[in-house]
Amino acid sequence: MADSSFDIVSKVERQEVDNALNQAAKEISQRYDFKGVGASIAWSGEKIEMRANSEERVKAILDVFQSKLIKRGISLKSLDAGEPQASGKEYKLFASIQEGISQENAKKIAKIIRDEGPKGVKAQVQGDELRVSSKSRDALQEVIALLKGKDFDFAIQFVNYR
């Protein structure tokens, strides 16, 4: 029998982020506390740009956006928000969406699987994802449970389970 395997990835569905951004923009345009403060949120290239007339308002826009991401099932670990910056009379805050598992994070996950996972499970880095394989499907289930119990500073998903 061939080895069973699955991939560990860190991907974000761009359309869901877009939907969350549109919902946040709609709420910001309608909320009383954002009236007349120049509050806005929009894509700026690959980053998300938030603007308002005070630092607190910009952070409030980020808070609205984060709540919309959570409702859409997107982990906040994949959102990398900077600090508000003064730009003339307004404040700007840039946020980006992190995708892919870096080499060092992939090695960290592979080490956890090797040290704490069941015997006979192999993990190999493939670009920005990690392939985990074993002869036993039960061992793979144990690895998934083990990794779900860990708290990483990046979002992970399990795909291509076969």
Side-chain angles (χ1 to χ4, degrees), residues 126-144:
Q126 295 180 331
D128 61 352
E129 53 186 50
L130 196 72
R131 163 85 31 103
V132 180
S133 58
S134 170
K135 293 204 182 311
S136 161
R137 287 185 151 213
D138 291 340
L140 292 179
Q141 293 285 351
E142 287 179 44
V143 170
I144 291 175

Side-chain angles (χ1 to χ4, degrees), residues 17-34:
V17 175
D18 222 25
N19 292 342
L21 185 91
N22 292 336
Q23 286 179 335
K26 187 174 180 184
E27 182 173 323
I28 288 163
S29 70
Q30 293 174 342
R31 265 181 44 179
Y32 175 76
D33 56 334
F34 287 125

Side-chain angles (χ1 to χ4, degrees), residues 36-52:
V37 297
S40 68
I41 181 171
W43 284 105
S44 172
E46 281 298 304
K47 293 186 182 259
I48 297 160
E49 181 182 16
M50 293 161 255
R51 300 170 171 231

Side-chain angles (χ1 to χ4, degrees), residues 3 8 10 22 37 50 52 54 60 65 72 79 83 89 100 105 108 110 113 125 127 139-140 144 148-149:
D3 283 4
I8 301 173
S10 181
N22 292 336
V37 297
M50 293 161 255
S54 73
F65 181 53
R72 293 230 154 246
L79 180 72
E83 285 299 311
K89 289 186 175 178
N105 287 337
K108 204 185 307 180
I113 292 170
V125 179
L140 292 179
I144 291 175
K148 279 185 177 176

Side-chain angles (χ1 to χ4, degrees), residues 42-145:
W43 284 105
S44 172
E46 281 298 304
K47 293 186 182 259
I48 297 160
E49 181 182 16
M50 293 161 255
R51 300 170 171 231
N53 68 354
S54 73
E55 194 172 335
E56 290 78 32
R57 289 276 197 294
V58 173
K59 287 183 176 175
I61 292 171
L62 177 63
D63 196 45
V64 169
F65 181 53
Q66 286 175 335
S67 71
K68 300 300 177 193
L69 286 175
I70 290 170
K71 284 182 182 171
R72 293 230 154 246
I74 297 170
S75 172
L76 291 183
K77 291 178 182 176
S78 59
L79 180 72
D80 182 27
E83 285 299 311
Q85 302 156 343
S87 168
K89 289 186 175 178
E90 68 179 5
Y91 283 81
K92 291 182 181 177
L93 190 140
F94 289 98
S96 59
I97 302 296
Q98 301 293 324
E99 286 196 300
I101 299 174
S102 68
Q103 288 291 332
E104 62 188 49
N105 287 337
K107 287 178 183 170
K108 204 185 307 180
I109 294 173
K111 183 171 177 8
I112 289 171
I113 292 170
R114 219 175 317 120
D115 295 348
E116 301 176 35
K119 297 281 180 256
V121 175
K122 296 185 283 295
Q124 56 215 134
V125 179
Q126 295 180 331
D128 61 352
E129 53 186 50
L130 196 72
R131 163 85 31 103
V132 180
S133 58
S134 170
K135 293 204 182 311
S136 161
R137 287 185 151 213
D138 291 340
L140 292 179
Q141 293 285 351
E142 287 179 44
V143 170
I144 291 175

